[in-house]
Amino acid sequence: MTSHGGWRISCRLPSLVFDKGMVMYIKVTRRIKTIWINKRYSTKIASSLTGGIYAFWGLIGTLLPMDEVLPQKMSLWLKCLISVSILMAVWCLCFLVVSLAIIGKKRFKVLTVNNGHAVYLQYGNIFSPNEVLDSGKRRNIVIPVNRCFDVHVDNHIVSAQTLHGIALQRLYASGKYSEESLITRIQQLLSRVGYENVSKKDKPEGRCRRYPPGTVAVLPENENVYYFFWALSTFDANMTASTTMQEFTIAVQKLIEACYEKSAGFPVVMPLVGTGLSRTKTDQQDVLKYLVNAFRLNRAEISCDIHIVVWEDIKEEIAISNI
């Protein structure tokens, strides 16, 4: 029995070591990727820090004699080589410190606007209360949806894994809505918004009222969580969702207006939109830059904090520090 137990243990140990090794390898690889995609920001800050250190050292040199740091008999070329080596070592150290700091930093303020409000870029999960500065107060969460505002989560029209599907399931779980009552409520909220009736030929399944891109319907889950259902993508006859760049531009502008009119001054949390099922065919980094520039151009219309959230799991793919 003892030998049998020992055999089982001896078999498990290599597996545990291998699993731990793989976990460590994945963590190190992700950190290296994070450092690499943020290299431009790290380089800029490291260069500024190095310049500051050398300026400070130069100031000290005016007050204290530095002639004895290196032997006077040493050749000029060797002194230059040592000086350059020290400069490179200081820069590399600064770069390493900045890079490690970026790995642990999840939020960057990219724009300060009216009344002390700001636009932030951050890594995280839009449904987490920790994405805003005061988690105890109301927050408004932007949920990209298709322009027909479909409400049936069937992993076909609306996938349970998308933000749209997750938000719908949370609304249903709160007990405030059923599918029928939610449709009625959305139609009430959008009663003054024009729409087109889409034929079953053009959209074989789901709802057939198609609203303009950027239309926003505000739906509370509870007193602290309000969803901004934001019409973005369009289904075609093959039930494939897509968004043109022109529609995306219009939708972003309307979202900014909705944040001004409907946020009640409480923070707005929005995902990195324009990717995934909406298929704008635009690089995520470019979308991020566009969103920040759109808020910058409309800074007079911003009356609350804006938190643009990049999903934590793709932290090593998108550099928010470079914006």
Side-chain angles (χ1 to χ4, degrees):
M1 175 66 73
T2 303
S3 61
H4 179 65
W7 170 252
R8 290 176 62 185
I9 293 174
S10 65
C11 286
R12 288 178 180 177
L13 282 177
S15 177
L16 289 173
V17 172
F18 177 77
D19 291 343
K20 289 182 178 179
M22 284 299 297
V23 170
M24 181 62 67
Y25 172 77
I26 292 172
K27 286 183 178 179
V28 171
T29 301
R30 293 188 64 179
R31 289 181 179 179
I32 291 174
K33 286 182 178 179
T34 301
I35 291 174
W36 176 255
I37 65 171
N38 288 283
K39 62 184 182 298
R40 189 174 70 181
Y41 177 81
S42 299
T43 298
K44 179 181 177 181
I45 301 300
S47 300
S48 298
L49 289 174
T50 303
I53 291 171
Y54 262 72
F56 177 75
W57 184 256
L59 176 62
I60 296 298
T62 62
L63 303 175
L64 300 174
M66 296 291 177
D67 297 338
E68 298 180 0
V69 174
L70 296 176
Q72 294 183 354
K73 295 182 179 180
M74 184 177 293
S75 67
L76 178 62
W77 290 106
L78 186 55
K79 289 181 179 180
C80 290
L81 180 60
I82 293 175
S83 298
V84 171
S85 299
I86 293 175
L87 177 65
M88 292 179 62
V90 170
W91 185 90
C92 290
L93 180 61
C94 291
F95 181 86
L96 180 61
V97 170
V98 173
S99 298
L100 293 176
I102 288 176
I103 291 176
K105 189 174 178 63
K106 292 189 175 184
R107 180 183 292 133
F108 291 84
K109 181 190 290 188
V110 295
L111 183 63
T112 300
V113 291
N114 303 317
N115 300 320
H117 294 302
V119 177
Y120 299 92
L121 293 183
Q122 58 202 72
Y123 297 111
N125 179 350
I126 68 166
F127 294 105
S128 170
N130 297 323
E131 301 308 328
V132 296
L133 302 182
D134 189 346
S135 60
K137 293 183 179 181
R138 168 182 160 179
R139 63 190 188 278
N140 306 294
I141 303 176
V142 176
I143 304 294
V145 302
N146 66 72
R147 288 170 54 191
C148 290
F149 289 87
D150 283 296
V151 299
H152 183 48
V153 183
D154 60 355
N155 291 320
H156 177 55
I157 301 176
V158 179
S159 171
Q161 304 303 316
T162 62
L163 299 179
H164 187 183
I166 294 171
L168 286 174
Q169 292 175 89
R170 289 169 67 107
L171 286 175
Y172 298 147
S174 71
K176 295 178 71 71
Y177 304 99
S178 63
E179 287 189 12
E180 292 74 17
S181 65
L182 185 57
I183 291 174
T184 300
R185 182 56 182 155
I186 290 173
Q187 290 179 349
Q188 290 174 346
L189 291 170
L190 304 181
S191 60
R192 297 184 179 181
V193 180
Y195 62 87
E196 61 176 320
N197 286 309
V198 184
S199 68
K200 287 297 183 181
K201 179 181 179 181
D202 293 329
K203 183 176 182 284
E205 302 175 52
R207 302 188 65 225
C208 294
R209 287 190 180 186
R210 181 177 291 166
Y211 293 89
T215 302
V216 173
V218 180
L219 297 161
E221 177 187 332
N222 53 54
E223 61 180 8
N224 283 338
V225 178
Y226 281 65
Y227 293 119
F228 282 23
F229 275 33
W230 179 44
L232 185 62
S233 59
T234 304
F235 280 116
D236 61 16
N238 296 317
M239 295 302 293
T240 300
S242 63
T243 306
T244 67
M245 207 53 220
Q246 181 180 10
E247 291 170 340
F248 181 68
T249 302
I250 295 171
V252 169
Q253 186 61 41
K254 287 188 176 182
L255 176 62
I256 293 173
E257 295 170 3
C259 291
Y260 177 77
E261 297 170 358
K262 303 177 181 182
S263 67
F266 293 104
V268 171
V269 183
M270 64 179 298
L272 175 57
V273 293
T275 56
L277 290 179
S278 58
R279 294 185 177 88
T280 59
K281 299 181 180 179
T282 303
D283 183 80
Q284 290 177 319
Q285 197 78 34
D286 292 336
V287 171
L288 200 54
K289 291 178 181 178
Y290 179 83
L291 289 173
V292 172
N293 287 331
F295 282 111
R296 180 176 287 112
L297 290 172
N298 292 272
R299 62 195 309 158
E301 301 296 319
I302 300 175
S303 59
C304 62
D305 287 343
I306 305 292
H307 299 264
I308 304 175
V309 179
V310 177
W311 186 246
E312 181 74 26
D313 289 350
I314 58 174
K315 184 177 181 179
E316 70 275 11
E317 299 175 16
I318 300 176
I320 63 176
S321 63
N322 292 336
I323 305 300

